Amino acid sequence: MPRSVVTPNEWLPRAALIVLAVTALRVALLAVDATDLFVDEAQYWLWGQTLDFGYYSKPPMIAWVIRAATELGGSDAPFWVRLPAPLFHAATALILGAIASRLWAGAAIWVSAVYVTLPMVAVGSYLISTDTIMFPFLAAALLLWIGVPGGTRGRAFAAGVALGLAFLSKYAAIYYLPCAALAALFTEARPTWRQALLALGAFALTVAPNVAWNIAHGLSTVEHTMDNADWVREGGGGGLLWRDLGTFFASQFAVFGPVLFAVLLWVGVGLRRAPLRVPILFALPIVAFVCVQALLGGAYANWAAAAYLAGTVAVVPWLLAAGQGWASFPPAHPIPATWWWRTGRPWLWGSLVLHGAFCLAIPLLTAFGTHLAAGPDDRLILARYLGRDEMSGAIVRAARDAGAEAIVADDRDVLADLFYSERDTGIAIYSVPPEGRAMNHYAQSFPWPGGDAPFLLVTKRDRLPERCAAERLTRLAPARGAYRDRKQTLWLAGPECPLR
């Protein structure tokens, strides 16, 4: 890290060197990753085989990106499916550096370096997700938006398009609309009404194809989102889930890092007097909203990940200037390098070292630690990412041995793994037809159409109704890996066997 004053024109080459070095190491280790695609990753790959403006539970961008990567690589191997992940995080790191260079020039390199080593980025660089694909577009929207007041209409339009592209990556991008409204109310980041309407119009225009797709497909992604929210459904919200709230809140110290999340909360306390109001208002309201969701219906740890783009831009300058007072640290002013042990830099360095160790541990574990186990039940540390290809292979071999022309399954994980790992076998794969609304993409798009030939039924059930004439073939019960607790029974069933 440089100890001299860094001007806005000097930060990019140094930041790019750090970010590209980390990214190159990640790509090299990704090439020797020994894990199977997780169920969500396999599903995103499948979506990309049929390009559309939307899919069952997510907007389309991740499917488009994976399709582009596999086409460019000429391969559907896990490496090419996951390759966009470290590259998109690298782009996000540099965009956040650009935001810092406009506001606090001396923090630009630090912001890029801190982001690219965040715990959530370390994990997200080896498991591709909608958060990862959303981040560079969301960061670009923030970069453009902070320059809208006093800027051109073109900038406002571009900010709306960038936010629209983020929304097409993950619907959580919508958080930025109320955050922008809060920033307009409580800070100087206040666009004109014409600029605001232009940005909203650009956003609406960009997301319109996905909205049209949802309407044409029974609002399936809206239904899925309501399923996740739970409390918005009739009969939901049976009580306050304090334990879920506590679990979610505690998990944020792991997602963003223990030092950084603590500082983010502390900086939020001094919101009125700090020159960090804009990034704070694009961070903490998101955390607060997901905390409410966790209290009412539960929440996964990554649901507030969008907060930590602006959160990084807020926390890093605060740590660099801690103890000096904001009067000597106005916006766009370089941070004096003489501030060292009297400031928060030791905490910043300590956080970087801790996160750097985690960043190195993750790829080493996925490449060389697939055999490692822990706990009283000797469970593989990476169990959920192992044994998937083996299960699919065993199912296909059983189908061939039994003379079945199709495989029908009722487990989303099994279907995802079969569609991906057995894509070239020539055996048709279907989902058990849904009763009522389809609860996953496979039930919606690949329901068993029926037929005259026998088929292999894969189910978690160990017994079938008596009216279903089927021969039990075997019970697949792996001792280790993803299916250790998801044992599957294989049945050779005829067309007269009802699946509902």
Side-chain angles (χ1 to χ4, degrees), residues 474-499:
T474 187
R475 177 85 161 161
L476 298 179
R480 316 198 86 179
Y483 289 98
R484 173 175 173 169
D485 300 322
R486 303 179 74 94
K487 300 174 177 62
Q488 305 291 326
T489 303
L490 307 188
W491 303 81
L492 183 62
E496 69 280 3
C497 178
L499 296 180

Side-chain angles (χ1 to χ4, degrees), residues 11-380:
W11 74 272
L12 183 56
R14 302 182 192 182
L17 181 63
I18 296 169
V19 171
L20 294 179
V22 172
T23 303
L25 179 61
R26 281 178 171 155
V27 172
L29 290 172
L30 184 62
V32 293
D33 190 303
T35 60
D36 299 334
L37 289 187
F38 186 56
V39 55
D40 291 335
E41 296 177 295
Q43 179 176 263
Y44 302 148
W45 168 85
L46 180 62
W47 288 350
Q49 305 312 295
T50 306
L51 297 179
D52 209 337
F53 285 112
Y55 300 95
Y56 173 81
S57 58
K58 297 289 190 297
M61 188 67 74
I62 191 167
W64 298 350
V65 169
I66 290 175
R67 176 66 177 271
T70 54
E71 289 289 338
L72 288 172
S75 171
D76 292 310
F79 172 80
W80 292 101
V81 173
R82 290 168 168 166
L83 180 61
L87 304 182
F88 271 55
H89 280 302
T92 305
L94 295 177
I95 295 171
L96 294 180
I99 296 173
S101 74
R102 292 176 55 87
L103 301 176
W104 309 281
I109 296 175
W110 289 89
V111 165
S112 293
V114 166
Y115 174 81
V116 83
T117 56
L118 288 179
M120 69 175 188
V121 174
V123 174
S125 294
Y126 292 93
L127 301 170
I128 193 164
S129 69
T130 49
D131 283 315
T132 294
I133 303 304
M134 173 183 68
F135 283 164
F137 300 114
L138 200 61
L142 183 59
L143 173 64
L144 291 163
W145 187 249
I146 62 175
V148 165
T152 65
R153 297 177 187 174
R155 191 178 187 92
F157 185 87
V161 170
L163 186 60
L165 293 175
F167 184 86
L168 291 179
S169 304
K170 186 173 183 177
Y171 295 132
I174 200 70
Y175 291 143
Y176 265 30
L177 290 180
C179 289
L182 289 173
L185 285 173
F186 296 110
T187 76
E188 68 283 354
R190 190 173 299 112
T192 65
W193 281 108
R194 183 169 296 180
Q195 289 173 325
L197 291 174
L198 187 60
L200 280 173
F203 171 78
L205 185 65
T206 305
V207 306
N210 180 250
V211 173
W213 182 93
N214 266 286
I215 293 172
H217 290 79
L219 299 176
S220 67
T221 52
V222 176
E223 294 285 350
H224 175 76
T225 301
M226 292 175 69
D227 289 339
N228 284 339
D230 183 50
W231 55 273
V232 302
R233 291 286 192 191
E234 184 178 354
L240 299 181
L241 307 177
W242 293 104
R243 178 176 295 182
D244 289 55
L245 172 60
T247 299
F248 168 77
F249 188 79
S251 71
Q252 301 313 290
F253 288 92
V255 172
F256 194 35
V259 172
L260 301 183
F261 188 61
V263 172
L264 179 63
L265 298 175
W266 179 258
V267 174
V269 174
L271 182 62
R272 292 185 178 180
R273 60 180 181 274
L276 298 168
R277 292 188 299 271
V278 173
I280 285 294
L281 287 171
F282 278 89
L284 285 182
I286 298 175
V287 177
F289 177 84
V290 183
C291 281
V292 172
Q293 163 60 37
L295 180 62
L296 297 178
Y300 289 109
N302 70 311
W303 283 9
Y308 304 126
L309 304 185
T312 303
V313 177
V315 166
V316 172
W318 191 92
L319 283 169
L320 291 169
Q324 298 301 308
W326 288 106
S328 59
F329 184 36
H333 185 77
I335 300 171
T338 54
W339 299 351
W340 180 240
W341 293 108
R342 294 180 300 162
T343 72
R345 287 200 185 191
W347 290 100
L348 192 55
W349 270 110
S351 182
L352 276 170
V353 170
L354 178 63
H355 296 174
F358 185 73
C359 285
L360 189 59
I362 290 296
L364 291 178
L365 185 64
T366 59
F368 308 110
T370 54
H371 64 286
L372 297 177
D377 57 354
D378 195 37
R379 187 180 298 270
L380 292 173

Side-chain angles (χ1 to χ4, degrees), residues 315-499:
V315 166
V316 172
W318 191 92
L319 283 169
L320 291 169
Q324 298 301 308
W326 288 106
S328 59
F329 184 36
H333 185 77
I335 300 171
T338 54
W339 299 351
W340 180 240
W341 293 108
R342 294 180 300 162
T343 72
R345 287 200 185 191
W347 290 100
L348 192 55
W349 270 110
S351 182
L352 276 170
V353 170
L354 178 63
H355 296 174
F358 185 73
C359 285
L360 189 59
I362 290 296
L364 291 178
L365 185 64
T366 59
F368 308 110
T370 54
H371 64 286
L372 297 177
D377 57 354
D378 195 37
R379 187 180 298 270
L380 292 173
I381 295 175
L382 297 177
R384 68 193 312 217
Y385 310 109
L386 299 171
R388 296 182 177 275
D389 286 356
E390 288 86 347
M391 173 64 83
S392 295
I395 291 172
V396 168
R397 286 192 298 272
R400 284 177 171 161
D401 293 343
E405 297 181 2
I407 298 172
V408 182
D410 61 4
D411 188 308
R412 175 175 171 262
D413 284 47
V414 170
L415 288 163
D417 299 335
L418 282 170
F419 270 101
Y420 175 72
S421 63
E422 306 302 320
R423 56 191 176 275
D424 298 323
T425 60
I427 296 181
I429 303 168
Y430 299 100
S431 167
V432 169
E435 295 186 44
R437 181 169 63 88
M439 298 305 293
N440 60 62
H441 169 71
Y442 305 97
Q444 180 189 60
S445 301
F446 302 99
W448 169 239
D452 298 328
F455 61 90
L456 185 75
L457 175 62
V458 185
T459 177
K460 296 185 288 292
R461 294 179 292 172
D462 196 39
R463 300 182 65 182
L464 295 179
E466 291 184 3
R467 68 182 186 276
C468 181
E471 176 189 356
R472 175 173 169 155
L473 299 179
T474 187
R475 177 85 161 161
L476 298 179
R480 316 198 86 179
Y483 289 98
R484 173 175 173 169
D485 300 322
R486 303 179 74 94
K487 300 174 177 62
Q488 305 291 326
T489 303
L490 307 188
W491 303 81
L492 183 62
E496 69 280 3
C497 178
L499 296 180

